[in-house]
Amino acid sequence: MKIAVIGMGYVGLVTAVGLAESGHSVIGIDINFEKLSRLRKGDPPIYEEGLAGLLNISLTNGRLRFSSRLSESLLECEIFFIAVGTPSDSEGKADLTFVNKAVNEIAALANRPIIIVMKSTVPPGTGRWIQNQLRKISKVRISYVSCPEFLREGTAIFDYFHPSRIIIGSDDSKIAEQVSEIWDEVECEKVVTDIESAEMIKYAANAFLATKISFINEIANLCERVGAQVDDVAKGIGLDPRISPQFLKAGIGWGGSCFPKDVRALQQVANGYATNLQILSAVISINQNQRLVIIQKLKKYLNDLRGKTIAVLGLTFKPNTDDVRESAALDIIRLLMKNGANPRAYDPMGGENAKKEILSLLVCKSAASALNRVHACVLVTEWSEFYHIPWNEMKKNFIARPIVIDGRNMLDHKEMSAMGYIIDGIGRPNGGVSASSLKIIHSTP
Ligand code: UDX
């Protein structure tokens, strides 16, 4: 099929490359000339494993090309994916400026029946409104399909080819079938719903996952008081298939380009219907509190943070990405600065992006240089590199007692204690050592 993808951000670019790899003929459209010139050279503006390789393959075989002109794609494409940003506005609502611009441009230029597939995350009700607008302003039939995206950063290419499901929200079964055929070779359940349900699925999925993490974080804080180990508790409850072990990793809380924005937007959707989603207020406030937990823990060991040098290992919102949007690391660094401490950070990929967010941030070139002459270290992102830090050697770099706050429960606390570290995680009292470890006895079938 001939497909145009509007918006070469995270979702748009991965989708364009994935569609081209599956054999479709794709035009990637964006208004940013610098981005387009990098893409034409096969140089993706974001880091994502496997993306550069597939981009170069599709450029070479000619299945993917880039343009700044929507008019060009309207001459040949039948399907238009919209994957532009829907950032939070000042109230937390999804800002639909870019979505509306794209829809209006398509409607003004279309001269034969086409299909719009909405990949951008938009509040329930948006699709219906757009559909009504299209009927009023367009001379030709423009069908509208809501097709929310569930890609995870860091594994987006894998997720594109192995999705847990594909949601197709449409009022027209023939159009839904036509859109479903785009992913004929992708094996997964394709769920056809009405437009509002498809839009709601996206928000409900992200809100549920954020709730799961906030839940385990609140349990972790209680674990510290009652003397339980949250990792054991998570394992013990996650073995129940109704709960599942995923997204039960306690830590400094969730961040990134989706969860914070989508949870806020869903709250605003509810407010718009004079409804208060009480659970989401709690989920957000627990998440904000997790950042403070780190500061409280540092104060427990260092008393006053004024003038104290703190190594912050990790700046991205999760490993294997260079994305620092709404990263817990940036919140923690700002809190450290507010408390008069001198944070000194290192991240394998996120340093440049973090410096754009916090201009005065000192970013080191390696974990070892960030750990040189510090009062304490905070582990913020679970990059695999941090497991391999020669912690035994690093001990001498601490100005006084070697203190490590493990914000992701990634290190072996027993081992760190044996090396002489003061190590403190999230929901891991007694140095992370359980009174009696949870034993898993595998029964024979
Ligand atoms: C998320 C959704 O998973 C994806 O389906 C959607 O399309 C976009 O939003 P992503 O933002 O890439 O994907 O990150 P994800 O892997 O879901 O992690 C989000 C945040 O939660 C990260 O900050 C991560 O560190 C944190 N997290 C995740 C936890 O703190 N504990 C967990 O157990 C899992």
Side-chain angles (χ1 to χ4, degrees), residues 10-11 48 121 148-156 159 164-165 202 205-206 209-210 212-214 216-217 245-260 262 287 291 316-319 321 323 325-328 380-382 407-408:
Y10 208 90
V11 168
E48 185 63 38
T121 302
E149 191 47 73
F150 304 101
L151 299 173
R152 294 163 300 172
E153 291 191 22
T155 51
D159 289 351
S164 47
R165 73 290 203 196
K202 169 69 187 188
N206 277 353
L209 292 171
K212 209 172 169 189
I213 303 167
S214 281
I216 200 66
N217 283 339
Q246 291 185 45
F247 278 68
L248 283 180
K249 191 113 189 38
I252 47 175
W254 39 270
S257 63
C258 290
F259 283 2
D262 292 351
N287 201 50
R291 280 50 162 169
T316 52
F317 81 100
K318 69 176 196 180
T321 173
D323 197 341
R325 283 176 288 177
E326 305 226 20
S327 161
V380 180
T381 317
E382 63 276 41
R408 296 286 180 184

